Amino acid sequence: MSLRQSASLIIFLMGGCMILSLLLTAYTNVSSTDKGSAPNATQPSVTAPQDLLTPGTLTVGSDTTYPPQEFIDTATGQATGFDIDLITAIAQRMGLKTTIVPAGFDTIIDSLNAKRFDVVISAVAISNERKQKADFVPYFNAGASLLVQKGNPRHITSTSDLCGLNVGVQKGTVEQDYLTTADKACKEKHKSAINLTILQNQTDVVQLLATGRVVATYQDSPVTDYYLQQNAGRFDVGGSVVNAVAEGMAIRKGDTSMFNAVQTALNQLKADGTYRKLFKKWGIMSGELPLNRPQGVTGVFRWDIFWQFLFSPFFLRAAWTTLWISVVAQFLGVVLGLFLALMRMSRSPMLNWPARAYIWFFRGSPLLVQVLVLFDGLPRLPQAFGLDPRLWQAFVLGPITVVLIAFSLNEGAYMAEIIRAGITSVDAGQMEAAKSLGMRYALAMRRIILPQAARVIVPPLGNEFNNMLKTTSIASVIGLLELTNTAQIFGSPTFTTFELLLVATLYYLLLTTVWSYVQAWIEKRLDPNRTNKLDLQKKGWTQRVLGFGAADTRGAGTLVSGH
Amino acid sequence: MTAVAENGQAATQHMVRAEQIVKRFGSLTILNGIDLSVKHGQVVVIIGPSGSGKTTLLRCINHLEKIDSGRIYVNGELVGYRLVKGRMVESSEADIARMRAKIGFVFQRFNLFPHLTVLENIIEAPVHVLGQSKTEAKEYATTLLGKVGLAEKAHVYPHKLSGGQQQRVAIARALAMKPKLMLFDEATSALDPELVGEVLKVMRQLAEEGMTMIVVTHEMGFAREVADHVIFMDKAIIVEQGPPEQIFSQAQNERTRDFLGMIHED
């Protein structure tokens, strides 16, 4: 490739980046769940804090898989629970509306510090370690307690009874730390280790107990009590509440105006009885349970839930999210892959080696890791390199931005190899013929080589897109409400994750099936010999969808004249 | 342009002028100091055994191959290089493309574009390289198709055509650029014997119209009848050259005689 070609290539790449960033800004603020304040809100009595992410709104981070404190109301799709009511009441005192942003618990404090939200309320137990990362306004006293099978057949009364047993716990909780300590104690006493199963969602942890995969789960005592009431006759509490600590609303260190406003509002709520009313409402003190409360573990397949969600707006929206993220990421991946392929095929080491390194890196590391690094790791970069830590705000990307960037970059590496194979499959005589007619490299590529390569590229590209539709589920780890995460979030409060994962599966199948028809149509369009006997039209749907029968493996080679 | 200034008369008299071309592939020397000159309207036929370097020589003339030393001028212009302070520096991609657009090249294996119809094959470069309007290009393409006897095949894809028909389309495609020089690289070698005649007929017709042509071929009959000048190459050099009657009847060199003897035995 000549210098001039390299220059135009760089310009193309820069243009691509600009389009990407435009797309990203357009879609960044879609994933939050709005929860407006009641219109008859009490007059603001507390000065609103400064520097809100969105003026007039308190943006709250919460891991909404933790009933009764925070979870998604399956009837409305909105976040609800004791914590949510409390923070909404606090915001009302400040004259603010509330937006709840779903977030993963294990990274929630980091996300707060990365200014993804103004405040966190998510049953966060105050520990010394956490106090180093954020300031806390205590609002809830909770200890840890063990949930066990009915009748406590293993006679578990404390964590020291857990040596050698299967135990479930939620990732990133203080209980996980307690269990790690208990495990060490087991080893010191030369007993077997505790076999821990650590999951993202508390409800999934309790599900482990319900299905007998673990003999005990360890969580905050209100949660233990809650599941006990929810599933009368199935569980028992093992031993008593230990390590009682306060849970706190987390506020960024140094954000004093926020700290004071939250503290003052909470004091007011305590003084006027609202705080106590909320306790009662959520049955945490009295045992009374509200309407619309989560159902217990029944072990029965809930067809009603299945049908209710099959055509619900939550899943339609999730399917749309899955679809458009896939389309955009695939498109950007193809564009990127094309440039990488051309660079990779260039004889110039200046172009060749960066492309090789890129492909090596992105094909060699897991997409999940790339997503997490962009989401959680990027904001820490300035600090890691000794720069002004305040710079990190520039590195905080929204979940959709992260997903689109990571997926496009990753896909680009795979598409590069696919496109390279496609270009290589075109007879070398084609480029010579084009050049001998006075065509320049770029024109010959565009008009002669790529249209022929396309026939070789499209079948694997179709595979890639099919994969992309399903790979979007990785976005669930950073809270994006695509199909898989929607199934998990809506399923967890009612123990119907299985039913909803089935719903999600049907949507995935719908998307991939429609795509297989689109792909067949594209392949047909690219075939210059449209009267071909192996016409795709004559392939039955079973053949196309289920992949029976030999694939159409004609390469471009046989279509090149003169062979 | 520099070339014209430097070489003045010598360069402009000839359509093609090659001086001391050396081409190597690694340690193998393919062309070892070739001198060649082709006048306007002349038909030069290059013959010789496989591996003698005749195809490579042809490919050097439109810079499909780089040369290691020597100079090639086409219509007075230095091909593929420009002189910077007396040193040969490869021309820009745009300059090379501009130069190639004036030279027609016909390949042994046709190299038609399989994703385009016959007509689209022919108008592709006139439209996208010369900037002709589609209507204009189609009109001329239709004329050319008539000339090569394939007017009714305009909307057919290449794989539906016989080898001879494909090669005639390839010739029409090259002619659509209105080249000043046509290079034929064993244009009939990939054809079934019964299809050779139709392609040679088109080439003969072109020669009669006064096109400057360099033809690499094994068709001795064609060389004898059509060539103004015949060059015999062997082992990277020009062994002997002259008018066809001289080469075919009174070859001076033993290698030439051996080669022609073998051909006639076939």
Side-chain angles (χ1 to χ4, degrees):
Chain A
M1 240 185 225
S2 73
L3 262 180
R4 191 176 304 183
Q5 274 168 277
S6 334
S8 53
L9 191 107
I10 289 160
I11 291 165
F12 255 95
L13 285 175
M14 280 165 55
C17 292
M18 276 169 61
I19 294 169
L20 181 70
S21 54
L22 279 175
L23 275 167
L24 298 180
T25 43
Y27 284 110
T28 309
N29 291 317
V30 199
S31 71
S32 58
T33 316
D34 270 326
K35 191 169 168 70
S37 63
N40 57 350
T42 3
Q43 282 297 310
S45 50
V46 176
T47 317
Q50 298 138 16
D51 299 331
L52 291 167
L53 287 182
T54 312
T57 301
L58 188 66
T59 307
V60 181
S62 186
D63 174 20
T64 50
T65 60
Y66 206 69
Q69 287 183 257
E70 46 266 323
F71 59 102
I72 299 287
D73 183 335
T74 50
T76 61
Q78 303 294 303
T80 186
F82 172 79
D83 286 1
I84 306 300
D85 280 357
L86 184 64
I87 199 71
T88 306
I90 286 171
Q92 279 174 3
R93 292 292 163 132
M94 304 174 185
L96 299 174
K97 291 203 285 185
T98 317
T99 299
I100 308 296
V101 179
F105 188 74
D106 52 342
T107 56
I108 205 160
I109 301 291
D110 292 333
S111 292
L112 171 74
N113 284 328
K115 291 205 175 178
R116 293 188 200 278
F117 6 89
D118 296 317
V119 60
V120 164
I121 189 161
S122 197
V124 183
I126 303 170
S127 66
N128 282 333
E129 203 178 38
R130 285 175 180 158
K131 268 199 264 184
Q132 287 171 8
K133 289 179 136 187
D135 291 331
F136 288 90
V137 176
Y139 68 96
F140 197 97
N141 266 308
S145 60
L146 287 157
L147 191 65
V148 296
Q149 300 284 5
K150 179 73 187 168
N152 199 353
R154 301 258 183 179
H155 310 293
I156 297 162
T157 55
S158 79
T159 51
S160 57
D161 296 331
L162 297 173
C163 304
L165 299 180
N166 294 331
V167 179
V169 70
Q170 189 189 8
K171 192 170 166 189
T173 57
V174 289
E175 285 80 4
Q176 188 190 342
D177 296 341
Y178 298 159
L179 286 171
T180 311
T181 313
D183 183 50
K184 270 187 202 150
C186 289
K187 284 171 193 159
E188 274 162 20
K189 290 178 197 158
H190 304 290
K191 293 183 182 174
S192 310
I194 301 175
N195 185 14
L196 277 184
T197 303
I198 302 161
L199 297 182
Q200 286 280 349
N201 297 339
Q202 182 59 41
T203 37
D204 293 343
V205 174
V206 177
Q207 190 78 43
L208 289 175
L209 182 64
T211 53
R213 286 202 182 92
V214 298
V215 297
T217 66
Y218 203 29
Q219 56 280 307
D220 294 355
S221 52
V223 180
T224 309
D225 296 343
Y226 177 76
Y227 282 111
L228 200 62
Q229 291 160 8
Q230 290 290 298
N231 302 280
R234 281 185 75 101
F235 302 134
D236 261 328
V237 179
S240 51
V241 176
V242 295
N243 296 324
V245 288
E247 288 178 358
M249 291 175 262
I251 288 147
R252 267 188 301 281
K253 277 209 172 291
D255 194 351
T256 42
S257 78
M258 177 64 76
F259 188 88
N260 293 336
V262 170
Q263 184 72 68
T264 313
L266 181 63
N267 289 341
Q268 287 184 6
L269 294 174
K270 279 184 174 167
D272 71 8
T274 313
Y275 179 73
R276 202 177 166 75
K277 264 190 245 161
L278 286 179
F279 260 74
K280 273 193 126 172
K281 178 184 170 193
W282 291 101
I284 294 166
M285 285 165 80
S286 65
E288 290 166 26
L289 290 167
L291 292 173
N292 243 336
R293 64 188 162 78
Q295 314 268 341
V297 182
T298 59
V300 174
F301 188 87
R302 294 285 303 275
W303 282 108
D304 56 328
I305 299 264
F306 175 83
W307 290 115
Q308 180 198 332
F309 277 97
L310 189 54
F311 299 109
S312 70
F314 310 123
F315 271 90
L316 289 173
R317 206 180 304 138
W320 168 243
T321 305
T322 295
L323 180 64
W324 81 254
I325 286 180
S326 304
V327 169
V328 173
Q330 188 68 49
F331 173 77
L332 294 173
V334 169
V335 173
L336 188 60
L338 175 60
F339 286 114
L340 285 168
L342 296 178
M343 284 169 72
R344 172 86 171 71
M345 294 173 78
S346 159
R347 256 174 262 141
S348 150
M350 296 262 292
L351 294 170
N352 190 331
W353 277 100
R356 277 170 194 266
Y358 181 98
I359 294 165
W360 168 78
F361 179 81
F362 279 96
R363 294 207 313 171
S365 57
L367 181 56
L368 177 60
V369 171
Q370 290 162 14
V371 167
L372 288 174
V373 164
L374 273 180
F375 192 72
D376 292 322
L378 207 55
R380 295 187 205 158
L381 262 188
Q383 219 173 8
F385 287 94
L387 299 168
D388 186 347
R390 276 171 298 175
L391 277 174
W392 72 10
Q393 286 173 45
F395 293 88
V396 177
L397 305 173
I400 292 205
T401 316
V402 164
V403 163
L404 284 179
I405 291 178
F407 284 26
S408 309
L409 293 182
N410 192 269
E411 187 57 24
Y414 284 91
M415 282 315 301
E417 293 296 273
I418 289 171
I419 291 172
R420 188 166 70 98
I423 291 172
T424 313
S425 78
V426 177
D427 190 288
Q430 292 290 307
M431 182 53 100
E432 291 195 341
K435 282 187 171 173
S436 74
L437 287 165
M439 291 193 195
R440 297 176 61 176
Y441 175 85
L443 179 67
M445 260 300 154
R446 187 163 59 81
R447 298 281 315 172
I448 307 300
I449 307 300
L450 288 177
Q452 294 181 59
R455 267 176 294 142
V456 179
I457 292 169
V458 164
L461 167 68
N463 250 351
E464 285 295 303
F465 185 66
N466 178 296
N467 257 330
M468 179 68 82
L469 284 167
K470 295 168 294 180
T471 305
T472 47
S473 57
I474 282 181
S476 63
V477 299
I478 56 170
L480 201 70
L481 283 171
E482 43 62 64
L483 284 168
T484 303
N485 199 25
T486 300
Q488 284 175 338
I489 283 189
F490 283 89
S492 57
T494 49
F495 286 103
T496 53
T497 310
F498 173 65
E499 285 82 345
L500 296 192
L501 283 174
L502 206 61
V503 171
T505 306
L506 289 178
Y507 274 96
Y508 283 121
L509 285 171
L510 174 74
L511 291 174
T512 51
T513 305
V514 169
W515 168 244
S516 72
Y517 277 88
V518 174
Q519 188 187 342
W521 178 80
I522 296 172
E523 281 176 27
K524 197 161 161 272
R525 283 294 303 267
L526 286 170
D527 190 347
N529 183 10
R530 301 219 186 130
T531 56
N532 200 305
K533 293 286 184 294
L534 289 164
D535 204 356
L536 288 151
Q537 264 181 339
K538 285 168 193 156
K539 247 194 206 176
W541 74 271
T542 46
Q543 211 177 340
R544 200 169 314 143
V545 174
L546 304 177
F548 296 150
D552 191 357
T553 50
R554 286 166 305 134
T558 53
L559 289 154
V560 170
S561 56
H563 286 236
Chain B
M1 291 303 116
T2 341
V4 178
E6 252 187 43
N7 280 279
Q9 281 181 309
T12 46
Q13 272 177 3
H14 295 98
M15 177 59 88
V16 180
R17 187 170 168 78
E19 297 166 355
Q20 286 300 309
I21 306 168
V22 174
K23 170 71 186 172
R24 294 188 197 92
F25 286 128
S27 60
L28 200 66
T29 303
I30 307 295
L31 299 175
N32 194 3
I34 301 288
D35 287 305
L36 174 79
S37 54
V38 180
K39 294 192 182 104
H40 287 272
Q42 208 178 19
V43 176
V44 172
V45 172
I46 306 176
I47 58 173
S50 308
S52 57
K54 48 195 196 311
T55 288
T56 306
L57 173 60
L58 209 60
R59 289 165 62 85
C60 287
I61 294 174
N62 78 341
H63 201 61
L64 281 178
E65 303 287 351
K66 293 175 188 179
I67 55 175
D68 292 295
S69 70
R71 276 162 209 198
I72 301 172
Y73 300 92
V74 170
N75 216 11
E77 266 188 79
L78 193 55
V79 170
Y81 300 88
R82 59 206 159 84
L83 286 170
V84 176
K85 292 175 189 160
R87 288 187 53 201
M88 302 262 281
V89 178
E90 194 169 14
S91 300
S92 72
E93 198 208 357
D95 285 343
I96 294 171
R98 244 193 306 282
M99 181 274 303
R100 283 191 185 126
K102 296 174 202 159
I103 304 173
F105 199 105
V106 178
F107 296 85
Q108 181 179 350
R109 289 164 80 176
F110 331 131
N111 293 344
L112 290 181
F113 306 134
H115 62 301
L116 302 178
T117 64
V118 164
L119 191 73
E120 286 165 349
N121 259 279
I122 299 174
I123 67 168
E124 181 66 24
V127 170
H128 290 100
V129 176
L130 300 180
Q132 289 179 9
S133 74
K134 273 201 167 174
T135 334
E136 185 189 359
K138 274 184 188 167
E139 211 169 287
Y140 189 50
T142 311
T143 315
L144 288 172
L145 275 177
K147 206 166 144 183
V148 299
L150 291 170
E152 77 284 7
K153 300 288 187 188
H155 301 292
V156 167
Y157 282 93
H159 69 272
K160 293 273 181 195
L161 301 177
S162 72
Q165 290 172 327
Q166 290 195 42
Q167 192 61 296
R168 283 187 278 154
V169 172
I171 294 171
R173 181 176 71 176
L175 291 174
M177 295 296 284
K178 301 188 173 136
K180 298 199 165 66
L181 168 70
M182 285 287 286
L183 308 175
F184 291 86
D185 181 16
E186 306 202 19
T188 57
S189 299
L191 298 178
D192 291 336
E194 72 273 18
L195 302 176
V196 170
E198 61 189 70
V199 174
L200 290 181
K201 192 179 141 203
V202 170
M203 289 167 68
R204 189 175 285 125
Q205 188 188 337
L206 209 55
E208 282 163 11
E209 287 169 13
M211 174 64 76
T212 314
M213 293 162 62
I214 304 179
V215 182
V216 169
T217 187
H218 291 291
E219 295 295 328
M220 295 307 147
F222 177 84
R224 198 192 294 267
E225 289 167 37
V226 183
D228 300 310
H229 191 78
V230 176
I231 292 173
F232 173 68
M233 278 183 75
D234 191 18
K235 294 179 183 156
I237 57 162
I238 293 177
V239 174
E240 191 169 1
Q241 56 183 316
E245 50 276 14
Q246 182 196 316
I247 298 291
F248 288 107
S249 314
Q250 325 153 30
Q252 305 297 303
N253 193 292
E254 196 178 338
R255 266 147 80 188
T256 317
R257 287 198 299 270
D258 284 353
F259 174 73
L260 289 172
M262 274 159 58
I263 293 280
H264 286 305
E265 276 166 30
D266 285 348

